[in-house]
């Protein structure tokens, strides 16, 4: 059975074969523009609503939902067909409402400090499974309007390129979101960055850098052994040249590991060359990584050093740490809560 958001227009038209010709457009508008489930499409005859509800089933089964930050952050745990589980996080800020979606169940990239990486890879998500996370979050955000989608949940988006791209096109063409409100975050899959550079929509690109020399990056982000920094920087430059979009680097500050003056200088060199913005994230705790995040004073110092070296750097607000919803904490199950209080400030999501 196809999921609600897996069918393209053609597939929907085939499903509605025998119905009046205008039905496909009507259902499509209901699904994407208004975010309705078939059962809610009151302009359709009841029998058709029932049939669509049955044949276009929801793919995400809510297993658990937690809220934090006085309700401003919601994290869902969804069960999928076959038993895999994923997480999705909705974050409401003063000026925007952002959903952070997963693109894979688990992840094969093996970054030590990331809970998803520690858990390993289960499977790719379909386009419909990616989109349905957005549509569920969009409803939960009401009456506010969901403004941004970041592909920064579980998984490596560029290792599921085709399904990711189909979801991006649907969000742009059918849900009506602009490319500048969509952000793809990657560990640095160079062929994927090159494909994205020549794609038809200029989405924002975030690269999870975390180290600016190959020796340290090989250790923290193992894919660096395949796509080392020089090759990654070249792909980033090509992306900027082709899309005219500002690139951002994510840098999780790890106490004594990547927060020294030398790290700041190396990072500044790369960021300045590319005109990239740096998003600093104090490392969030995960069960499988013993080193802690840089304390707040050190985070501020690191930011100031980058600024004095001419780099545009900000500290990303941490949302939902106490419900394991923050960056790097998504594990697709109900993990042990580490009980670190969240910090409420507006940031870069
Ligand atoms: N695989 C993609 C998408 C995941 S985005 C990527 O790597 O970009 C999740 C972001 O959180 C990445 O920048 C990741 O490096 C970062 N992250 C992972 N573990 C973290 C942790 N423990 N604390 C803070 N950030 C973390």
């Amino acid at each position: 059975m196809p999921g609600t958001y897996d069918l393209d227009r053609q597939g929907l038209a085939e499903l509605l074969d025998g119905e009046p010709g205008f039905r496909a457009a009507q259902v499509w508008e209901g699904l994407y523009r208004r975010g309705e489930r078939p059962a809610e499409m009151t302009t359709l005859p009841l029998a058709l609503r029932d049939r669509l509800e049955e044949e276009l089933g929801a793919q995400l089964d809510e297993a658990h939902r937690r809220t934090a930050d006085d309700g401003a952050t919601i994290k869902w745990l969804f069960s999928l067909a076959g038993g895999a589980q994923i997480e999705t996080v909705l974050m409401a800020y003063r000026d925007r409402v952002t959903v952070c979606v997963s693109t894979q169940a688990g992840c094969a990239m093996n970054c030590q400090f990331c809970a998803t990486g520690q858990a390993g890879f289960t499977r790719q998500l379909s386009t419909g499974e990616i989109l349905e996370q957005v549509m569920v979050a969009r409803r939960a955000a009401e009456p506010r309007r969901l403004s941004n989608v970041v592909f920064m949940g579980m998984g490596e988006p560029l290792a599921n390129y085709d399904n990711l791209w189909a979801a991006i096109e649907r969000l742009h063409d059918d849900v009506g979101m602009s490319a500048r409100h969509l952000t793809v975050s990657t560990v640095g899959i160079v062929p994927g960055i090159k494909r994205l550079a020549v794609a038809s929509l200029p989405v924002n690109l975030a690269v999870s850098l975390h180290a600016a020399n190959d020796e340290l990056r090989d250790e923290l982000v193992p894919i660096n052994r395949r796509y080392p920094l020089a090759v990654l920087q070249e792909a980033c430059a090509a992306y900027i040249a082709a899309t005219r979009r500002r690139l951002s680097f994510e840098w999780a500050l790890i106490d004594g590991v990547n927060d020294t003056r030398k790290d700041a200088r190396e990072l500044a060199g790369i960021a300045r060359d590319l005109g990239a913005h740096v998003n600093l994230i104090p490392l969030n705790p995960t069960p499988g990584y013993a080193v802690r995040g840089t304390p707040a004073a050190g985070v501020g110092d690191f930011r100031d050093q980058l600024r004095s070296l001419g780099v545009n750097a900000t500290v990303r607000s941490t949302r939902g740490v106490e419900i394991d919803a923050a960056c790097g904490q998504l594990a697709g199950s109900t993990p042990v809560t580490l009980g670190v209080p969240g910090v409420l400030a507006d940031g870069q999501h």
Side-chain angles (χ1 to χ4, degrees):
M1 184 173 81
T4 319
Y5 303 98
D6 269 321
L7 285 183
D8 57 15
R9 278 178 190 268
Q10 176 67 28
L12 183 64
E14 282 164 20
L15 188 72
L16 292 170
D17 193 27
E19 296 287 334
F22 60 85
R23 286 284 183 232
Q26 206 177 14
V27 172
W28 192 264
E29 290 274 304
L31 287 178
Y32 289 98
R33 289 274 168 202
R34 290 191 296 282
E36 294 170 344
R37 303 278 329 157
E40 296 163 334
M41 297 178 188
T42 49
T43 51
L44 302 181
L46 191 57
L48 180 58
R49 269 183 253 168
D50 289 346
R51 197 191 117 205
L52 287 177
E53 196 57 40
E54 214 162 276
E55 292 187 20
L56 283 181
Q59 290 174 291
L60 306 184
D61 182 15
E62 181 176 317
H64 198 66
R65 180 197 294 218
R66 300 182 72 183
T67 60
D69 307 318
D70 288 328
T73 304
I74 304 176
K75 180 176 87 162
W76 288 268
L77 174 67
F78 294 114
S79 298
L80 310 177
Q85 293 192 310
I86 55 162
E87 296 187 310
T88 306
V89 184
L90 177 66
M91 293 159 284
Y93 299 90
R94 264 199 313 271
D95 59 337
R96 67 196 184 283
V97 181
T98 300
V99 64
C100 176
V101 305
S102 295
T103 52
Q104 300 179 317
C107 185
M109 295 297 123
N110 216 10
C111 305
Q112 307 165 22
F113 53 86
C114 174
T116 312
Q118 290 157 16
F121 179 73
T122 305
R123 73 162 170 87
Q124 302 286 17
L125 300 191
S126 71
T127 298
E129 288 167 333
I130 297 171
L131 281 168
E132 196 171 318
Q133 295 172 65
V134 179
M135 301 315 274
V136 168
R138 183 172 119 143
R139 297 184 67 129
E142 286 170 359
R144 293 195 61 191
R145 194 178 59 83
L146 180 75
S147 54
N148 295 59
V149 177
V150 297
F151 297 93
M152 293 187 183
M154 292 167 66
E156 168 49 45
L158 297 184
N160 188 13
Y161 192 96
D162 293 337
N163 293 348
L164 168 77
W165 190 256
I168 288 174
E169 282 189 325
R170 205 75 63 75
L171 289 173
H172 177 268
D173 298 352
D174 300 302
V175 179
M177 301 187 78
S178 82
R180 69 182 61 248
H181 290 136
L182 307 176
T183 300
V184 173
S185 180
T186 180
V187 71
I189 307 280
V190 164
I193 296 174
K194 289 185 172 161
R195 273 181 85 180
L196 210 55
V198 295
S200 52
L201 297 169
V203 298
N204 300 310
L205 182 66
V207 174
S208 298
L209 202 63
H210 307 310
N213 68 71
D214 282 318
E215 195 188 344
L216 180 59
R217 199 163 192 271
D218 280 353
E219 195 187 311
L220 292 177
V221 182
I223 197 74
N224 192 69
R225 296 173 205 158
R226 180 144 13 131
Y227 307 115
L229 283 165
V231 177
L232 178 58
Q233 280 168 258
E234 195 188 300
C236 289
Y239 189 84
I240 296 166
T243 61
R244 309 251 152 241
R245 275 293 145 94
R246 189 182 70 177
L247 182 83
S248 56
F249 284 134
E250 289 152 296
W251 190 280
L253 279 161
I254 312 173
D255 199 19
V257 173
N258 66 355
D259 61 355
T260 65
R261 288 186 169 270
K262 174 173 170 279
D263 294 302
R265 275 196 308 274
E266 288 170 351
L267 167 57
I270 296 181
R272 262 197 324 251
D273 274 356
L274 292 166
H277 178 98
V278 175
N279 256 318
L280 299 170
I281 320 161
L283 185 83
N284 292 307
T286 58
Y289 190 69
V291 191
R292 50 179 205 139
T294 304
V299 172
D301 283 351
F302 196 83
R303 179 201 55 207
D304 293 344
Q305 284 173 54
L306 290 176
R307 287 184 176 166
S308 70
L309 293 165
V311 176
N312 188 347
T314 46
V315 179
R316 178 182 281 174
S317 70
T318 301
R319 279 296 185 97
V321 181
E322 71 274 32
I323 57 167
D324 291 320
C327 301
Q329 295 189 310
L330 304 184
S333 63
T334 317
V336 186
T337 297
L338 291 156
V340 178
V343 182
L344 260 177
D346 275 5
Q348 288 294 314
H349 266 119

